[in-house]
Amino acid sequence: MSIAHQVSRSAHPTVPSNWIYASKQFSTHSDAMNENIVVYRPMKETFSSKTTGDVIKIVVDSPSSFLRPQRSYLSGKITWYYADGSVNSTVDNADAGAMMHFLGATVRVSGKIAESIDNYGEHVSQQYAFESAARRKYLSHLEGVGRDDIFHTNGSFTFRHHVEFGVMQPTNGNPMPLCLLPGQAIELSFTLNSPHMAATNATNGAYFTVSDIRYVAQLVTPHADFLASAWEGIRKGHYLEYDYVATTQTFNNGNGATINQFIIPLANSRVVGLTHRFRDDSKYQANTGDKSLIYDTANLKSWRYQLGGWRLPLTEDFKIEDAMISGALSVNDNASYAAEDVDLDNYMTKKFTLRYSFQSSDEDVASALNLIGTDGNLRFVCEFSAPLPTTTALITSVFPHRTLLIGATVDII
């Protein structure tokens, strides 16, 4: 993690040479009167799961301001219908809540893909499995997490969601400099999931719509002299560095044997951590059932990571009994992991997740697994007590450290 340069509080501040700064430092160039809330909407009013390829696109732009994504959120109204078009108030939502209605999700910065998640609902269900009890109360109210009744009153539910993109939760709390971007905009896009993935008991022909979609954003406008200095820096060929931890997903299938070596391509990455889930595709493709509660151990006995001659653990492999604590301690320190409100009753049978972080919460990015200059083919070697069927998928979420280089152009490294 980069260390912010100190900036003078003079009337004519200068841009730091490498332009890395945190929110606290940036606040020396703005005040509360220069902060405001702006609502952005897609061009269409309503999107339907019946329309194949319907993409929700929200352009967040400003010619004069920076975006504070950590203080912004997505909102929308989901309404369910029977095949005949009448309102459906009997549908049960998934345990992971309203976000199971979304499939693909992408953030573009000046047209460049900064982050793209193939299955956003699956990603969110995994992230929410390790939330604190306090945040889980918010999620229950705002997104219907842990409930199945959010559509039972009138077939509709309005969610409010802090998007789970790393680029919208930057490492240093940095604001996104919209006005300094080429094109002065970022774009959030989402595709809708199928009804059988979003709900547990959707009848044939049932569908849902998403309407009144808003991205409610906090913008902050820096002082004019700061912006003038920034533009001068761009003119001279300098750039701003915006650090974040992205999410990418990879998918592998079992080989029908008790020993499986899954290859995870990580070339030229600085990997903060990994998570793994096993998904029985017969359950995933079924017309009924909660698709956020289908992740069990798949009879896993032990596992390890290998890259060339390097392996982790060094000698004996992790055992299935190590899964919960080894993952928790790698992500957190020896005290804060206890704040995670893990569903212990369903962890092994419905919400099983293997996770390992090379960079814990009390370390900086230098502790990440640096695979720059290697082929990056990390082997995830697993032994099972019974052959792993070819119909069981391994879903791996990779969390690489990335940096936006923002100047006359935008590059991602």
Side-chain angles (χ1 to χ4, degrees):
M1 186 179 298
S2 305
I3 299 175
H5 283 257
Q6 295 298 318
V7 178
S8 169
R9 292 178 178 269
S10 68
H12 300 283
T14 57
V15 177
S17 59
N18 65 350
W19 289 25
I20 302 174
Y21 50 82
S23 295
K24 183 178 180 181
Q25 179 191 358
F26 177 79
S27 68
T28 65
H29 306 302
S30 65
D31 57 51
M33 292 297 292
N34 291 329
E35 297 177 4
N36 217 317
I37 302 296
V38 177
V39 175
Y40 297 91
R41 294 179 180 269
M43 295 294 289
K44 284 175 56 176
E45 170 59 26
T46 302
F47 297 80
S48 173
S49 63
K50 293 201 303 183
T51 306
T52 303
D54 218 3
V55 181
I56 301 167
K57 293 184 179 181
I58 305 171
V59 176
V60 181
D61 59 352
S62 175
S64 60
S65 299
F66 286 34
L67 166 70
R68 281 186 169 150
Q70 61 271 43
R71 299 184 185 179
S72 306
Y73 62 91
L74 181 71
S75 175
K77 180 181 179 182
I78 302 171
T79 305
W80 273 87
Y81 300 91
Y82 290 108
D84 63 4
S86 60
V87 172
N88 183 347
S89 60
T90 64
V91 70
D92 296 337
N93 59 288
D95 182 77
M99 291 304 105
M100 288 295 289
H101 290 76
F102 296 91
L103 183 60
T106 302
V107 179
R108 289 178 171 83
V109 178
S110 295
K112 299 281 185 72
I113 296 179
E115 196 162 357
S116 184
I117 300 175
D118 294 328
N119 192 328
Y120 189 73
E122 193 282 330
H123 168 65
V124 167
S125 75
Q126 175 183 272
Q127 295 295 97
Y128 287 177
F130 300 100
E131 293 294 350
S132 67
R135 185 164 189 241
R136 196 176 299 282
K137 289 181 180 179
Y138 278 98
L139 293 173
S140 176
H141 178 73
L142 297 174
E143 300 181 27
V145 174
R147 299 165 52 190
D148 65 3
D149 61 351
I150 60 176
F151 299 108
H152 288 184
T153 301
N154 57 12
S156 297
F157 178 79
T158 297
F159 67 84
R160 289 167 178 82
H161 171 67
H162 187 250
V163 293
E164 289 287 334
F165 291 111
V167 71
M168 305 302 279
Q169 301 175 9
T171 305
N172 293 325
N174 294 341
M176 175 68 74
L178 296 176
C179 59
L180 300 180
L181 294 173
Q184 299 178 330
I186 64 173
E187 178 189 274
L188 308 179
S189 63
F190 299 87
T191 59
L192 299 183
N193 220 334
S194 72
H196 296 302
M197 298 296 175
T200 67
N201 61 344
T203 55
N204 288 336
Y207 65 98
F208 64 89
T209 62
V210 185
S211 60
D212 193 24
I213 301 166
R214 306 177 302 148
Y215 186 68
V216 182
Q218 185 188 73
L219 299 187
V220 56
T221 303
H223 293 169
D225 50 5
F226 178 82
L227 284 178
S229 297
W231 280 117
E232 179 63 16
I234 289 176
R235 190 188 67 80
K236 291 180 178 179
H238 297 298
Y239 54 85
L240 179 149
E241 296 185 8
Y242 181 97
D243 292 336
Y244 65 102
V245 178
T247 301
T248 60
Q249 292 172 319
T250 67
F251 299 83
N252 301 80
N253 282 89
N255 63 7
T258 57
I259 302 293
N260 284 247
Q261 296 193 38
F262 302 104
I263 296 178
I264 305 169
L266 302 175
N268 294 316
S269 297
R270 293 164 290 169
V271 182
V272 172
L274 302 161
T275 63
H276 311 280
R277 303 178 102 181
F278 298 104
R279 186 184 72 196
D280 183 339
D281 281 344
S282 65
K283 295 179 181 178
Y284 183 67
Q285 294 165 4
N287 287 339
T288 59
D290 192 329
K291 304 308 186 297
S292 64
L293 297 176
I294 58 173
Y295 303 96
D296 59 27
T297 65
N299 298 306
L300 179 68
K301 287 177 58 181
S302 62
W303 78 96
R304 68 180 180 271
Y305 296 111
Q306 284 187 206
L307 183 67
W310 173 85
R311 61 168 284 166
L312 187 153
L314 186 60
T315 53
E316 297 183 15
D317 292 354
F318 284 121
K319 300 182 185 303
I320 184 65
E321 295 82 5
D322 299 322
M324 188 176 295
I325 192 167
S326 63
L329 289 177
S330 72
V331 174
N332 306 281
D333 57 39
N334 65 340
S336 62
Y337 84 95
E340 296 179 341
D341 185 30
V342 179
D343 183 356
L344 301 178
D345 292 336
N346 293 310
Y347 176 73
M348 301 294 281
T349 57
K350 296 180 180 180
K351 299 182 178 181
F352 183 70
T353 304
L354 284 175
R355 51 182 180 150
Y356 194 85
S357 180
F358 303 99
Q359 176 190 331
S360 66
S361 59
D362 55 357
E363 296 176 316
D364 63 23
V365 73
S367 301
L369 180 63
N370 190 346
L371 299 179
I372 304 297
T374 73
D375 67 8
N377 286 330
L378 183 70
R379 294 179 183 273
F380 179 49
V381 184
C382 299
E383 182 179 1
F384 300 86
S385 60
L388 185 69
T390 57
T391 55
T392 295
L394 170 73
I395 304 173
T396 297
S397 294
V398 182
F399 300 93
H401 180 272
R402 289 182 180 164
T403 301
L404 288 177
L405 301 180
I406 301 170
T409 61
V410 170
D411 295 295
I412 303 169
I413 60 172

